[in-house]
Amino acid sequence: MPEREPMAGVDAAWLRMERPTNLMMITGVLTFGDGLSAAALKGLLEERLLRFHRFRQRVGDREGDPYWEDDPYFDLDRHVHRLALPPPGDHRALEVLVSDLMNMPLDFGKPPWEMHLVEGYRGGSALIARLHHCIGDGIALIHVLIQMADEYFEAEEAERGGAVEKRERGLLARLTRPVTKTVEAAGAVVHEGMELLLNPAHLAKRAQQGASLSAALGKLALMPSDSDTVFKGELSATKRAAWSEPLALDVVKAIAQRERAKINDVLLAAVAGALRRYLLAHDGEADDVTIRAAIPVNLRPLDRAHELGNRFGLVFLSLPVGMADPHARVAEVKRRMERLKRSAEAPVVLGLLQLAGSGPKVLQDELVRLLGDKTSAVMTNVPGPRERLHLAGAGLRNVMFWVPRAGTVSLGVSIISYAGTVLVGAASDAALVPDPVLLIDGFHEEFRVLKAR
């Protein structure tokens, strides 16, 4: 019988949140200017991805006490699939394909991940990755991506060091350096308004200085429910995905400097403006509306970025969708984010997830109900590589991803930086928001207004 490894409580929590109407799956898209062959992709995965032993393991006892075990029938061909886009192979065609795959559950009879190599996209190719959240969070999976890149992978060191899980000191030093450098470089720009995202010690210090964990827990329980808007309602099993064209990071930074805010404030304020536009078009009302976003906060020290699994909490940002002026909206987001930076919400929620994943199912159900009642969206911001990367010699053009939503949360917004650009994505439930591309269009409009000042 394969050796068993108990699943960490937080990872089990995300596993148990799986519902037909909200799959706990991270979906990512890598686009390439060159054609990436299936043989090259399989060689790349065999050499670089499978060093992380977790990708050879399947989940046992999903309904009870879940554990990881080696898949005795592991076959890379069961995880890699080839697809072709119909002409003209444009952005919209890829959005439709991503949406279709986002609706397909992963097969838990094997390790819960898949790669889909898409040929014929804008004269090059694309890679759609689907990974269950129980494998890891955004920071961990960005680390995996970086370690697969030609610029950072060294076959001789990997061969000498063996699997990452062995944690041999020499190899880990090599593995940690690039992701630390990348996260610091990207984080200094994208997350400069939320140092707690990259510095877990900041949260511990705040707690020691008097930020009450019990007060944060009480605040979560007593937090008013979100308003009944188009974003709330009974979910379906069909999701839709859309994402923006790249925005120049230097332009976003210039806007932030002019607004005397952080880059993160500008991006979140533009998202709030896009939600306001959508509300006015579909509900006819945006004033006096409460739309709260759950924002994941990294609680993993940088020197442990190589570890898979989930190490993040959540903070809850009430988006100022009732404010009509985009510039006032930036200032208000900044004010609210400053307040969140002084709170202990993130470690409290991490503790709740740990408890829910390790305890009886009733705790899990109550937490899912609570999150669905208090929030309308999940919004996440992940720093990607600052320099352009290559995989198996193919130049990586852009990176995008979408996070899962728990319970009755219908909307996910993802922001990622890469090579001097920022991309914004939206994933929504088709029964409530069938046209997330309108949210992306609204984001672009809000950004143009801020840029034009």
Side-chain angles (χ1 to χ4, degrees):
M1 179 178 292
E3 184 178 350
R4 296 180 177 183
E5 174 189 346
M7 184 177 291
V10 177
D11 302 336
W14 291 108
L15 175 71
R16 291 174 175 177
M17 288 185 197
E18 181 93 0
R19 301 286 190 277
T21 53
N22 256 339
L23 303 176
M24 290 294 102
M25 179 174 62
I26 297 173
T27 303
V29 173
L30 312 178
T31 62
F32 301 88
D34 313 300
L36 181 63
S37 71
L41 174 60
K42 290 179 183 178
L44 181 81
L45 297 176
E46 183 74 42
E47 180 183 43
R48 306 179 189 182
L49 181 71
L50 298 184
R51 293 184 301 128
F52 297 85
H53 192 64
R54 181 69 76 228
F55 291 93
R56 294 180 179 270
Q57 294 181 306
R58 65 187 182 185
V59 178
D61 195 13
R62 289 174 56 203
E63 302 302 323
D65 295 319
Y67 56 84
W68 294 104
E69 65 177 358
D70 290 351
D71 181 1
Y73 309 107
F74 181 81
D75 183 350
L76 189 57
D77 286 337
R78 298 175 67 201
H79 295 265
V80 178
H81 311 280
R82 294 178 63 185
L83 300 170
L85 280 182
D90 57 7
H91 182 92
R92 180 56 187 153
L94 188 59
E95 283 182 333
V96 171
L97 178 57
V98 169
S99 300
D100 289 343
L101 292 174
M102 196 176 284
N103 299 321
M104 296 174 54
L106 290 165
D107 180 1
F108 279 93
K110 60 185 181 182
W113 64 272
E114 287 187 346
M115 301 280 184
H116 304 265
L117 179 60
V118 183
E119 300 168 349
Y121 174 65
R122 288 185 168 177
S125 55
L127 182 64
I128 302 174
R130 303 192 302 134
L131 307 97
H132 201 276
H133 211 324
C134 66
I135 294 177
D137 54 32
I139 293 293
L141 296 177
I142 281 291
H143 173 76
V144 170
L145 167 64
I146 292 171
Q147 292 308 313
M148 289 175 60
D150 301 346
E151 285 77 3
Y152 288 119
F153 182 76
E154 291 189 4
E156 292 183 3
E157 288 197 20
E159 185 176 348
R160 286 198 301 269
V164 170
E165 283 77 9
K166 292 181 179 179
R167 299 182 184 176
E168 295 179 2
R169 196 169 290 178
L171 177 59
L172 278 186
R174 170 63 187 170
L175 290 179
T176 304
R177 275 200 307 271
V179 73
T180 301
K181 175 183 175 184
T182 300
V183 171
E184 286 177 339
V189 178
V190 176
H191 293 307
E192 61 182 0
M194 288 183 69
E195 59 264 39
L196 68 157
L197 285 173
L198 298 175
N199 187 3
H202 174 86
L203 288 173
K205 182 178 179 182
R206 287 294 184 190
Q208 292 168 2
Q209 289 176 345
S212 169
L213 298 184
S214 60
L217 179 57
K219 176 186 173 183
L220 177 61
L222 297 174
M223 188 183 295
S225 299
D226 268 18
S227 300
D228 185 14
T229 68
V230 67
F231 302 116
K232 305 290 284 186
E234 186 174 348
L235 303 184
S236 70
T238 302
K239 312 302 173 187
R240 301 270 168 80
W243 69 99
S244 71
E245 293 295 336
L247 304 174
L249 196 53
D250 286 344
V251 174
V252 185
K253 186 174 183 179
I255 295 172
Q257 290 174 340
R258 191 178 62 222
E259 298 286 337
R260 297 183 179 180
K262 306 298 184 183
I263 286 179
N264 198 61
D265 301 332
V266 171
L267 295 172
L268 289 177
V271 170
L275 296 179
R276 174 182 173 82
R277 289 171 181 265
Y278 197 91
L279 286 172
L280 291 174
H282 293 80
D283 284 350
E285 175 62 39
D287 298 337
D288 300 320
V289 168
T290 298
I291 291 185
R292 200 174 286 108
I295 300 179
V297 175
N298 176 48
L299 297 176
R300 179 188 283 102
L302 288 179
D303 61 357
R304 297 176 63 183
H306 58 277
E307 297 178 2
L308 291 175
N310 292 274
R311 285 292 299 174
F312 69 92
L314 297 169
V315 294
F316 301 92
L317 174 65
S318 182
L319 297 164
V321 295
M323 303 183 72
D325 183 87
H327 306 285
R329 204 181 302 124
V330 173
E332 183 61 18
V333 167
K334 177 186 176 182
R335 186 184 69 82
R336 296 181 186 185
M337 290 301 295
E338 288 290 339
R339 187 172 63 235
L340 283 177
K341 283 188 285 184
R342 295 189 293 270
S343 83
E345 284 181 7
V348 166
V349 176
L350 178 62
L352 289 174
L353 289 168
Q354 178 74 39
L355 179 64
S358 304
K361 189 174 183 297
V362 64
L363 291 176
Q364 179 83 67
D365 293 342
E366 179 59 21
L367 181 58
V368 169
R369 185 201 64 76
L370 190 67
L371 293 175
D373 185 49
K374 309 296 185 182
T375 61
S376 296
V378 175
M379 295 186 182
T380 189
N381 192 336
V382 172
R386 187 170 62 176
E387 69 274 36
R388 291 207 170 273
L389 302 180
H390 295 75
L391 278 76
L396 181 60
R397 181 186 288 162
N398 281 312
V399 183
M400 191 61 238
F401 75 105
W402 294 265
V403 293
R405 283 79 56 202
T408 58
V409 178
S410 68
L411 179 65
V413 177
S414 305
I415 300 171
I416 187 168
S417 62
Y418 171 63
T421 63
V422 177
L423 278 82
V424 178
S428 62
D429 190 280
L432 302 178
V433 182
D435 43 10
V437 67
L438 296 182
L439 291 173
I440 298 302
D441 291 344
F443 174 86
H444 280 297
E445 287 298 320
E446 291 293 322
F447 187 76
R448 277 192 280 270
V449 171
L450 290 171
K451 181 181 175 182
R453 179 176 177 181

